[in-house]
Amino acid sequence: MPSPFTRPSSLPEPTVARLPVYQRIAREMVRRGRERADSETLGRLAGVAPATVRRDLAGLGSLGTRGAGYDVAVLAERIEEALGHHEHYDVILIGVGNLGHALVNSSNFLISGAELVGLYDVNPEVIGTDVAGHVVQDFMGELAPATLAVLCVPPSVAQDAADRVVEHNIHAILNFAPQVLSVPIGTAVRYVDFSIELQILAYQLTNGTGPLGGGLIHSLGISRNTPPRSA
Amino acid sequence: MPSPFTRPSSLPEPTVARLPVYQRIAREMVRRGRERADSETLGRLAGVAPATVRRDLAGLGSLGTRGAGYDVAVLAERIEEALGHHEHYDVILIGVGNLGHALVNSSNFLISGAELVGLYDVNPEVIGTDVAGHVVQDFMGELAPATLAVLCVPPSVAQDAADRVVEHNIHAILNFAPQVLSVPIGTAVRYVDFSIELQILAYQLTNGTGPLGGGLIHSLGISRNTPPRSA
DNA sequence: GGATGTGAAGTAGTTCACAGCC
DNA sequence: GGCTGTGAACTACTTCACATCC
């Protein structure tokens, strides 16, 4: 046994991005009463090569059985543990416009472990209203303590909003504004930019789909953050 | 139709994902009356290393000037051309729930060149209503001809919806449902999955931010599609 | 027999460092 | 002098192929 203890230290980012997909598939199989699945099956459902599935899952420790594949209940559990679903995260959301509404009302948005503890806006017409059981607060007032902030504000004020949440000791930001943010070292930012996705598709349409000029049967969108040189 | 002259058959996907960011920055500079910018400045604003900026832009042809940087007007123009903003795309959106609403009403969503030509749903309460100037149609009825479909439907029906748009000769799908899709070769799919992004952040929070245990000053979220082996 | 886990090979993308041109 | 464009080095991830173990 080369690794005495499962190193949670750091999985490759593409792997981390695929784990939630495996998790979803495994949970669904559990729900359907299925017990085991092999890397080929998981790969087909996730749009990933079997070898990649095995390499990804091997990173969580030896949880497969040679000759028999993976126990999907164990798999789901183990992935959830690795992703930190058993921890607790307090989440605040800034900017309760159309998108903010949509996220708050989405059943797929909040993972187990994440709890929405506050909605904020600067628009007086929105402040005080009730959205999905939360009263929208003034972003310029007091903020609830949280570990993660979701930014759904216009790009022109995204940096200001980011500065403010960083001051409130939040070290993780999910930014839906099409605006690159400047944050201190130690703060993680992830971007979701619909327009970029659309543009990539448009590019692929005009330039032939896929790297091989061919196409794809399944495909899995994964993302990662690229930190610049730190020097 | 592709003109093989100045068109380098296909740019790396991470490059394509960054081009919209450079474009936005360049347009903003033009708006502010600025004429030129060097790769270091662009990189700082985009959260990307200067060398990467230069390599990305070199892929569009020689559009910089040694010693003087890039003309931002030319830059914006050239990027837009490469991304296909000068082409025309008819876009349909399936699933006019909270998220569909948010997208349709977002000023950042549709790029120049993309035109929304139809909204569809299966919910009788939604069909017939007017959303942002479009009357929602029955998804089970006739579909407007389009080149690109945006899926904002629940995951349980995402595959059915995908099958249907594929039958209607659409070869590009932007899928917001947390569901991997199976589509024929030649059809491009991109995924936007909020929950995955949140989980990646949660992972980074518990496992120290960034690959080097350090952090990041700027960061740019990029995504790509990973096609499996086509066997 | 059958499928995992993993060294080794392959591939893609980033960054360095400097030649080349303004 | 300054900054681009790019071969070469480096780093990261994926895929192969097979020894390993159930």
Side-chain angles (χ1 to χ4, degrees):
Chain A
M1 301 174 215
S3 67
F5 224 70
T6 313
R7 290 233 65 167
S9 51
S10 122
L11 268 35
E13 260 219 26
T15 295
V16 176
R18 283 187 295 262
L19 289 180
V21 180
Y22 303 144
Q23 185 265 355
R24 219 149 48 200
I25 291 167
R27 273 277 166 249
E28 174 66 13
M29 286 179 167
V30 170
R31 206 182 61 76
R32 295 195 188 184
R34 183 150 174 191
E35 288 213 349
R36 345 197 88 260
D38 59 24
S39 62
E40 204 251 311
T41 305
L42 291 169
R44 200 180 53 255
L45 295 173
V48 163
T52 302
V53 173
R54 294 200 298 278
R55 171 91 47 200
D56 285 342
L57 298 183
L60 305 181
S62 269
L63 41 76
T65 311
R66 286 166 205 248
Y70 302 86
D71 178 312
V72 288
V74 171
L75 189 55
E77 194 55 38
R78 194 63 198 77
I79 292 175
E80 284 158 18
E81 189 189 326
L83 287 174
H85 285 210
H86 299 338
E87 316 273 332
H88 183 87
Y89 303 98
D90 287 320
V91 178
I92 59 174
L93 186 144
I94 326 292
V96 191
N98 276 307
L99 179 61
H101 261 92
L103 290 178
V104 171
N105 287 316
S106 163
S107 55
N108 305 121
F109 183 49
L110 286 181
I111 55 173
S112 59
E115 185 190 353
L116 187 64
V117 297
L119 296 179
Y120 299 90
D121 209 303
V122 291
N123 183 349
E125 301 203 354
V126 176
I127 296 170
T129 62
D130 187 288
V131 175
H134 293 264
V135 176
V136 179
Q137 311 285 326
D138 185 352
F139 183 50
M140 291 313 159
E142 198 67 30
L143 297 189
T147 37
L148 204 152
V150 180
L151 259 47
C152 304
V153 301
S156 54
V157 296
Q159 183 62 59
D160 290 342
D163 291 346
R164 189 154 159 66
V165 301
V166 163
E167 265 171 35
H168 268 259
N169 244 42
I170 289 172
H171 299 294
I173 298 175
L174 183 53
N175 179 29
F176 285 85
Q179 169 68 45
V180 178
L181 300 177
S182 191
V183 297
I185 303 242
T187 301
V189 183
R190 286 199 72 84
Y191 297 83
V192 178
D193 190 324
F194 310 141
S195 167
I196 288 181
E197 300 301 322
L198 203 68
Q199 290 180 70
I200 295 172
L201 273 179
Y203 176 84
Q204 292 181 352
L205 272 175
T206 49
N207 291 69
T209 309
L212 296 170
L216 22 105
I217 302 177
H218 291 275
S219 59
L220 167 64
I222 57 174
S223 347
R224 59 179 194 184
N225 268 3
T226 306
R229 44 146 207 172
S230 36
Chain B
M1 44 180 71
S3 54
F5 293 124
T6 37
R7 195 150 289 194
S9 50
S10 102
L11 268 34
E13 261 219 25
T15 295
V16 176
R18 285 186 295 262
L19 289 181
V21 180
Y22 303 144
Q23 185 265 354
R24 219 149 48 201
I25 292 167
R27 273 277 167 250
E28 175 66 13
M29 286 179 167
V30 170
R31 206 182 60 77
R32 295 195 187 184
R34 183 150 174 190
E35 287 213 349
R36 347 197 88 257
D38 59 26
S39 63
E40 204 251 312
T41 305
L42 291 169
R44 201 179 55 254
L45 295 173
V48 163
T52 302
V53 174
R54 293 201 296 277
R55 171 112 18 219
D56 285 342
L57 298 184
L60 305 181
S62 269
L63 41 76
T65 311
R66 286 166 206 248
Y70 301 86
D71 178 313
V72 289
V74 172
L75 188 55
E77 194 55 38
R78 193 64 198 76
I79 292 174
E80 284 157 19
E81 189 189 326
L83 288 174
H85 284 211
H86 301 337
E87 316 273 330
H88 183 87
Y89 304 97
D90 287 321
V91 178
I92 59 174
L93 185 144
I94 327 293
V96 192
N98 277 306
L99 179 60
H101 261 91
L103 290 178
V104 171
N105 287 315
S106 164
S107 55
N108 305 121
F109 183 50
L110 286 180
I111 54 173
S112 59
E115 185 190 352
L116 186 65
V117 297
L119 297 179
Y120 299 89
D121 208 304
V122 291
N123 183 350
E125 300 204 354
V126 176
I127 295 170
T129 62
D130 186 287
V131 175
H134 294 264
V135 177
V136 179
Q137 311 284 326
D138 185 353
F139 183 49
M140 290 313 160
E142 199 67 30
L143 297 188
T147 38
L148 205 153
V150 179
L151 259 47
C152 304
V153 301
S156 54
V157 295
Q159 183 63 59
D160 290 343
D163 291 345
R164 188 154 160 67
V165 301
V166 163
E167 265 171 34
H168 268 259
N169 243 43
I170 289 171
H171 299 293
I173 298 175
L174 184 52
N175 179 29
F176 285 85
Q179 170 67 46
V180 178
L181 300 179
S182 191
V183 297
I185 303 243
T187 301
V189 182
R190 287 200 72 85
Y191 297 83
V192 178
D193 190 324
F194 310 141
S195 167
I196 288 181
E197 300 301 322
L198 203 67
Q199 290 180 71
I200 295 173
L201 273 179
Y203 176 85
Q204 293 181 351
L205 270 175
T206 50
N207 293 71
T209 310
L212 296 169
L216 23 103
I217 302 178
H218 292 275
S219 58
L220 165 65
I222 57 175
S223 345
R224 60 179 193 186
N225 269 3
T226 307
R229 48 158 204 161
S230 31

